[in-house]
Every structure is written in C-alpha cells, then in structure tokens.
Amino acid sequence: LAAATRGGYVAVLEPTDRADPLRATIDTRSLNRGERLRGAVAAETKSESWLLVPTIPAAKDGSNLAVFHIRDGAIEGEGPVQLLRAGAGIVHRLHARREHALVATLGCSLRADPDEAGLYECDAAQPHDIAVWKFTPGQPSRLDLVREIGLDRIPGLVPSRIALSPDGRRLVVSFEYPAHPKDGARPEELRLWTTASEKAGELLLVDLQGNADARWIPSGMPRVREIAFSPEGSMFGAGGPAAQASDDDTGTDEVRLWDVAESGLRLRE
C-alpha cells in the first residue's frame, strides 16, 4: 500500500503486518513541488515492488511518473530508478491493479508556454486525459498504452477519481462539482454550469475489454467524493453528500453500493 502524507512524502506500508507496517518512506517533494500526490504499487513479486509516483513535468514533453524500486522492504538507490511518461501532461490521480499490471491515470494537458517561473501548468481550456496502461517492470520498466478514454467536453466538469475493478475489466470515473458562476454571469454560463452540475452526480463506467461505449450511471448524489470496488470485485461503492444535504459540506453524507454484473453496475436497494 502506498499512501501520501501531508509533508510531501509517500509511505509504503504492508497492511498485514500490524506490529510494524511501515516498509519505506519516499521523499517526493523535489518531484511534485510539495503537492500531495498519491503513489501506487504497480507490480510486485515475493521480494520486490515497483512504485509509481506522479511528478511535475519540467518540460512540455517531460516525464510525469517516477518509478521507485523496493527490494526486501528497502528503497533501491537514493531516488527513482526511472522516469516514465503517461500522457502529455500532469498526472493528478492514478490507480493500479498490480495483479494485472494495469495502471489508470487521470491528468490534464499542459499549456503551450511555461509561466514566469518556467513551469508548465494545466490548460483549463483542454479536456482532461484518462488512460489505462500496461506496466512491465524491469531494467528498464515499460509503460504501454492499453486504452485512452475519450470524454465529451463538458465545460466546468472535472474528473476527480478513478477506480479499476479487481479483474481489470472495468474503469469507473467520478467528477467534481463545478464552481458556481459569479454574480452577473451570462445565461450561457449558467446553462453550462447547470449541465455540468447535473453530470457531476453521475459516474462514467468504461468496459476495457469490450467495444461498447462508455456510459453514464446516476449516483443518486449531487456529487461523488470517493469511489472503490470491493476486494473481490462483487460490489462497487460511492460516497458523497445525500441528495437533500446542503452544499457547504455540513450536511449528511451517504454511501451507495452497486452489485457488479456482466452488464455493469446494478444499484443495491
């Protein structure tokens, strides 16, 4: 298990070892400007693990994932053993299924020019990037594209969470609630915000092995904060504010569960 800390570190843990679960601590502050970016264990053997941590590209076509090699509970070397590129921008989220060596990434496209500090930022005018990759560990490791997820551009709607199913067959994406337009906004801006707000409470389900189009699934919540599959893959859960809760995070939250069927997700009553 890889978990981000507030100080810019990634802690590598062995959950089954309750007495001493911490295996390694990785300082990622020089890689991601101090932002909290979660890492993911992409592959492992009995004595080795390969951990992926998002990095901030130093150039327009720069790498955005750092590979750390862990052998017998210790980090190999003083930093990443390799830098990889997943997409053409900044990776905000990644989720891995190491049993299938699959990695899902959620990121953004970069602006054409750097800012005053020489750093590249996200281009808000461009759609976000969602993709699934096959990770092959080794010297060097490889990252091969399995599938890109095309999203119809919905202004104001930002993907926030991704989750791969345990069998590696499905990907689910949730979305952030868009910011409300400022006072005096034009009717077109309000209309776009309304459309994005309605979509923010839905989930996007993608079949990675079939040719069917991705489809939207209502969550029954105004927005979704967290998503996850159960360990055996028979259920899927989403958490967020209840339908009648206030929008200032002071209301009641709820968790809704779906059964995972061949046809997709079926809401549990």
Side-chain angles (χ1 to χ4, degrees):
L1 173 68
T5 68
R6 292 184 180 274
Y9 293 83
V10 171
V12 181
L13 308 166
E14 173 50 68
T16 60
D17 188 347
R18 297 187 178 183
D20 186 20
L22 184 63
R23 289 294 179 266
T25 303
I26 301 172
D27 186 350
T28 64
R29 292 174 295 178
S30 62
L31 299 174
N32 56 30
R33 304 182 203 160
E35 296 183 20
R36 281 187 293 159
L37 299 176
R38 292 187 175 98
V41 177
E44 67 178 357
T45 65
K46 198 167 185 179
S47 61
E48 297 177 279
S49 300
W50 287 262
L51 174 70
L52 301 182
V53 177
T55 68
I56 303 299
K60 180 72 175 176
D61 58 351
S63 59
N64 52 19
L65 284 179
V67 182
F68 290 88
H69 187 202
I70 303 170
R71 188 192 300 272
D72 296 325
I75 298 292
E76 182 179 289
E78 298 181 355
V81 294
Q82 191 176 348
L83 295 175
L84 296 173
R85 188 180 183 205
I90 298 174
V91 175
H92 290 299
R93 292 268 175 178
L94 72 162
H95 185 239
R97 287 294 180 186
R98 59 183 181 271
E99 59 271 39
H100 303 289
L102 291 177
V103 180
T105 59
L106 185 162
C108 67
S109 301
L110 298 180
R111 293 177 181 171
D113 300 309
D115 58 18
E116 295 180 356
L119 302 174
Y120 286 91
E121 301 290 348
C122 290
D123 187 347
Q126 297 297 322
H128 282 67
D129 301 319
I130 302 175
V132 178
W133 311 81
K134 182 75 171 181
F135 177 75
T136 305
Q139 296 178 347
S141 298
R142 289 174 47 194
L143 201 62
D144 298 309
L145 180 64
V146 173
R147 182 167 174 180
E148 291 181 307
I149 312 302
L151 289 178
D152 292 333
R153 179 62 177 160
I154 304 175
L157 190 62
V158 179
S160 59
R161 298 288 189 275
I162 50 177
L164 283 165
S165 61
D167 60 8
R169 293 179 54 188
R170 299 181 178 89
L171 176 73
V172 178
V173 185
S174 66
F175 297 83
E176 290 183 355
Y177 193 80
H180 194 287
K182 297 180 181 179
D183 293 340
R186 300 190 306 271
E188 177 65 15
E189 292 177 314
L190 292 172
R191 186 161 55 252
L192 291 175
W193 177 81
T194 300
T195 301
S197 298
E198 292 171 351
K199 283 293 186 184
E202 297 189 32
L203 302 166
L204 186 67
L205 175 65
V206 182
D207 183 354
L208 298 175
Q209 293 189 343
N211 295 320
D213 293 333
R215 58 193 181 95
W216 294 90
I217 298 175
S219 71
M221 295 173 278
R223 57 178 168 144
V224 177
R225 292 197 180 101
E226 291 292 345
I227 55 177
F229 283 90
S230 62
E232 74 287 352
S234 63
M235 289 192 300
F236 173 82
Q244 304 302 320
S246 62
D247 191 42
D248 59 1
D249 291 334
T250 61
T252 302
D253 282 4
E254 66 177 358
V255 175
R256 308 197 83 186
L257 298 175
W258 288 261
D259 288 316
V260 179
E262 286 298 318
S263 59
L265 304 180
R266 184 174 60 249
L267 181 65
R268 284 196 166 196
E269 299 297 338

